[in-house]
Amino acid sequence: MDVEHETKSSTTRSKAKGGRTRQAILEVAVDIASAEGLEGLTIGRLASQLSMSKSGLFAHFGSKEDLQLATIDAARAHFIHHVIQPALDNERGLQRLWKLCDGWLSHVQDGECSGGCFFAAAASEFDSRPGLVRDRIAAIMLEWLGTLQRAIVESQEAGQMDPAVDPPQLAFEFNSFELGANWSFQLYGDKKAFARAREAMLERLHRYSTRSGARLLPSIEANIEAKPVRSRRK
Amino acid sequence: MDVEHETKSSTTRSKAKGGRTRQAILEVAVDIASAEGLEGLTIGRLASQLSMSKSGLFAHFGSKEDLQLATIDAARAHFIHHVIQPALDNERGLQRLWKLCDGWLSHVQDGECSGGCFFAAAASEFDSRPGLVRDRIAAIMLEWLGTLQRAIVESQEAGQMDPAVDPPQLAFEFNSFELGANWSFQLYGDKKAFARAREAMLERLHRYSTRSGARLLPSIEANIEAKPVRSRRK
DNA sequence: CCTACCGATCGGTAGG
DNA sequence: CCTACCGATCGGTAGG
């Protein structure tokens, strides 16, 4: 949709232009907030990086809190597009579950959000600051946990995973491995941490898969670059 | 040692007094930094909470960075006293390993550091800000990971854990469960997360323990309040 | 340990 | 979208 050639009224056009400007602002805002945190995302810094005046930029948002909330939702849209959607292209069951976990790790590993996982950082920054920002972050991370858990339940319903597995427990463990890998990578630049997280997750998929589910695992593992992931002596 | 009645020279006494003041400052500093982060620990706020002038307080530290480093070391001393030392009172092997993990979780669960794990929060705050502060935090967390890993190796040396277990991998997983429980508790106030982390850790201790190690597990589990931790349907 | 002060930056506003 | 400005707070200093 080429907004330059649209034939809408000037009101609509100027709204569209405002929307594009807002979009451009939020792209930069997500970058800054990923690296410096949502408080480090100051209006002055954001304005200078966009070569705008502070007040010109500020006119797009009613308050700093509004800017933070808009930035969070932009990051959520980015995450859905790059992690959730590709996973939903896979069949329900172990394949989709794995794609969710693997996509999360790849998203961080490839530095697509510069400061590590935007939400892991934001959660830790705001977990002791009550307010709308904290609530929104918490709700979005709960969406993610719910998505993981649903994929686990679907794996059981598809007969690919042992029905005795407790979905919230397994979702907690998978989420923990993601947080652990992110932590290790951010603090030490340790890329091995992603392999460790994948190893831990695959080990669990192996142990909990049914005979029918186990048939899917070789194709899942074939997509991981040839590390001797599952080849512990024993 | 009652410093009020000491008979040392006035120089020594005033040094001792300065030391006590510094200690008192750092206690408050750890509290503030736990809740608000190491950048949120501002000199003005710290001074007003101690009913001191900013410059009076500042005289104890050469710069904000020095204050942050001193606060980090105070938090480290606190952690060693409350988590590491009690664990070292246990015998080498599974018992000590478990005490390290359990102590970490209890330390957060009991709110002993108000803002969740001081170091988990500090790591995420500084992981993209190069400098002495970041380096110190990274070094301390590496100490912790090393302590965990050593306890795993000792469990193998004591014949209580399968020697095929990869110590760095298991240390990564245990550390991840701790980060995951801390995350869930800080963001949702979810106390169940500690039970989930313990469940995940105990499951691994069970699976990796030798016959000799397995004899120790019942006494370990007896100390956990009677949750049906290991009683998944099967 | 204090008062008094500095330049820089913060979020936000007035007025156009 | 701009210039010009506000009070508050930041880390830090001078001088005692």
Side-chain angles (χ1 to χ4, degrees), chain A residues 35 128 134 138 187-188 204 207, chain B residues 35 128 134 138 187-188 204:
Chain A
S128 51
R134 185 206 136 107
L187 203 52
Y188 305 105
R204 275 169 150 58
R207 194 144 47 83
Chain B
S128 51
R134 186 205 136 108
L187 203 51
Y188 305 106
R204 272 169 153 58

Side-chain angles (χ1 to χ4, degrees), chain B residues 29-154:
Chain B
V30 172
D31 270 358
I32 294 179
S34 288
E36 315 278 343
L38 277 165
E39 282 303 329
L41 172 66
T42 67
I43 297 164
R45 178 196 296 242
L46 186 52
S48 84
Q49 198 150 327
L50 285 154
S51 300
M52 287 174 71
S53 68
K54 265 173 57 180
S55 65
L57 183 148
F58 197 66
H60 287 275
F61 310 90
S63 65
K64 168 133 193 197
E65 193 178 51
D66 272 11
L67 169 63
Q68 290 172 326
L69 290 168
T71 303
I72 289 168
D73 279 344
R76 175 176 173 271
H78 186 266
F79 180 75
I80 289 175
H81 184 257
H82 286 91
V83 179
I84 307 282
Q85 283 296 347
L88 294 185
D89 291 342
N90 289 266
E91 263 181 59
R92 267 176 235 257
L94 290 185
Q95 297 182 78
R96 181 179 293 181
L97 173 58
W98 172 252
K99 257 301 170 190
L100 284 169
C101 295
D102 183 63
W104 198 104
L105 292 170
S106 297
H107 186 247
V108 174
Q109 187 168 11
D110 302 346
E112 232 164 316
C113 46
S114 24
C117 175
F118 177 96
F119 290 103
S124 140
E125 186 179 5
F126 275 83
D127 61 16
S128 51
R129 302 186 200 184
L132 292 179
V133 172
R134 186 205 136 108
D135 293 347
R136 187 76 187 113
I137 294 165
I140 291 173
M141 298 214 78
L142 211 55
E143 284 179 6
W144 166 248
L145 229 68
T147 301
L148 265 185
Q149 193 171 320
R150 206 173 312 122
I152 292 166
V153 170
E154 287 167 356

Side-chain angles (χ1 to χ4, degrees), chain A residues 34-37 40 115 119-129 134 137-143 145 162-166 168-170 172-184 186-189 193-197 199-200 203-204 207-208 232-234, chain B residues 34-37 40 115 119-129 134 137-143 145 162-166 168-170 172-184 186-189 193-197 199-200 203-204 207-208 232-234:
Chain A
S34 288
E36 315 279 343
F119 291 103
S124 141
E125 187 179 3
F126 275 84
D127 62 15
S128 51
R129 301 185 201 184
R134 185 206 136 107
I137 295 164
I140 290 173
M141 298 214 77
L142 210 55
E143 283 179 7
L145 230 68
D162 182 351
V165 168
D166 183 36
Q169 174 72 25
L170 192 58
F172 168 83
E173 296 187 17
F174 280 13
N175 186 59
S176 293
F177 295 140
E178 287 155 3
L179 293 176
N182 184 58
W183 170 85
S184 188
Q186 297 308 318
L187 203 52
Y188 305 105
F194 298 112
R196 292 201 196 289
E199 151 87 11
E203 188 271 339
R204 275 169 150 58
R207 194 144 47 83
Y208 292 149
R232 273 194 204 149
R233 298 155 284 155
K234 175 42 182 296
Chain B
S34 288
E36 315 278 343
F119 290 103
S124 140
E125 186 179 5
F126 275 83
D127 61 16
S128 51
R129 302 186 200 184
R134 186 205 136 108
I137 294 165
I140 291 173
M141 298 214 78
L142 211 55
E143 284 179 6
L145 229 68
D162 182 349
V165 167
D166 183 35
Q169 175 72 26
L170 192 56
F172 167 84
E173 297 188 16
F174 280 14
N175 187 58
S176 293
F177 295 140
E178 287 154 4
L179 293 175
N182 184 58
W183 170 85
S184 188
Q186 298 307 319
L187 203 51
Y188 305 106
F194 298 111
R196 291 200 196 289
E199 151 87 11
E203 188 271 337
R204 272 169 153 58
R207 194 144 49 83
Y208 292 148
R232 273 192 202 150
R233 294 156 284 152
K234 163 60 185 305

